[in-house]
Amino acid sequence: ITSLANANSKNGFQALDPLKSDIMFQMHLKLPEIVNDNQVIIQKKLNIANNMTLALSQTDSTSSAEIFFGIQSGSNFNYAAMSVDKGEFFHLTAIYSPNTDQRVKLIKFDSSDVKTVVSSSVQAQFANLQYGGNSLTIASGSTVRVNDQSLLFIPQETFSGSIDDLRYFKTVHSDDSIKRNRFRSVAGFENLNLYFKFNEPSGSYSGNDIVLD
């Protein structure tokens, strides 16, 4: 479980707050073939009604699950969800661009290189996605409102699964660029705000105060 607060700021705001920029999260994911309750994968929030959350919804299925990406800002919201298979790695991209189609979108490349794209049914323009420099959390989170629902999304478990090569850009790449670069290092790419390779060595070793990312 990782909690991040970026020390670099601009105009008093933490650099991981989207503000008026594009949003693009990318990662390789693998979900275990077990039932799951509500789980947060990535979250940044100011309060219950102001957040961006990438999460798993509760399911009794051991073969598939629903992943959603939602942005809630007061009464304004955008949301998209897709079904994913458990038991195998897939590459997931979650994006929102205020400067193009103003829709939340999920793009998945499965282990057979098949692409699936799900987009929100409505457009939404957010004036300023500011979260007060609060931490961005990975694999854990807290209660939020998503999709403007009266029932809140309440995480019941920390994330169970594998996350690899996590990236957060403040720009949106084309589908071709996402496919081309999903297995390549993106160090040095423009508007890359966060990059965790998660390549720590396994097993026992003496340098326990060292983390590679």
Side-chain angles (χ1 to χ4, degrees):
I1 301 171
T2 305
S3 178
L4 301 169
N6 196 321
N8 297 317
S9 62
K10 182 179 181 180
N11 298 328
F13 300 118
Q14 297 292 342
L16 294 182
D17 283 0
L19 303 181
K20 298 180 180 181
S21 299
D22 291 345
I23 300 166
M24 183 170 72
F25 290 104
Q26 295 182 316
M27 70 206 73
H28 296 275
L29 283 175
K30 183 179 181 181
L31 308 179
E33 294 176 287
I34 57 176
V35 300
N36 67 269
D37 212 322
N38 292 340
Q39 302 176 11
V40 170
I41 303 171
I42 294 173
Q43 186 179 81
K44 206 170 199 304
K45 63 178 285 190
L46 179 65
N47 50 47
I48 286 177
N50 292 274
N51 72 90
M52 59 177 180
T53 300
L54 179 69
L56 285 173
S57 297
Q58 183 276 335
T59 181
D60 292 328
S61 173
T62 59
S63 60
S64 65
E66 182 182 84
I67 288 182
F68 72 81
F69 182 44
I71 301 173
Q72 185 86 28
S73 180
S75 61
N76 200 11
F77 68 97
N78 215 302
Y79 175 94
M82 70 161 42
S83 178
V84 297
D85 291 334
K86 294 181 175 180
E88 62 179 27
F89 268 104
F90 59 92
H91 185 263
L92 182 71
T93 301
I95 65 176
Y96 170 75
S97 177
N99 304 307
T100 54
D101 63 358
Q102 301 173 0
R103 297 177 189 270
V104 162
K105 187 182 296 184
L106 292 169
I107 304 171
K108 179 187 70 174
F109 286 94
D110 66 17
S111 58
S112 299
D113 219 24
V114 175
K115 182 178 75 171
T116 303
V117 180
V118 175
S119 180
S120 60
S121 59
V122 297
Q123 294 176 294
Q125 179 70 54
F126 301 101
N128 190 13
L129 293 176
Q130 177 199 342
Y131 302 116
N134 290 345
S135 295
L136 183 148
T137 60
I138 301 170
S140 70
S142 55
T143 299
V144 289
R145 176 166 284 113
V146 295
N147 203 19
D148 207 31
Q149 295 295 307
S150 57
L151 293 177
L152 301 178
F153 177 80
I154 305 175
Q156 300 293 337
E157 305 169 334
T158 56
F159 176 71
S160 177
S162 300
I163 304 176
D164 190 29
D165 213 50
L166 172 63
R167 310 154 178 192
Y168 170 37
F169 289 89
K170 285 190 176 180
T171 189
V172 170
H173 296 172
S174 68
D175 290 8
D176 286 344
S177 177
I178 292 170
K179 181 179 181 180
R180 183 172 61 252
N181 293 312
R182 70 192 192 279
F183 294 116
R184 299 177 179 176
S185 172
V186 294
F189 275 40
E190 187 176 1
N191 292 316
L192 176 63
N193 277 59
L194 188 70
Y195 189 19
F196 284 156
K197 295 183 179 181
F198 293 127
N199 57 355
E200 295 90 345
S202 60
S204 299
Y205 63 103
S206 59
N208 291 322
D209 59 342
I210 298 172
V211 174
L212 305 177
D213 57 44

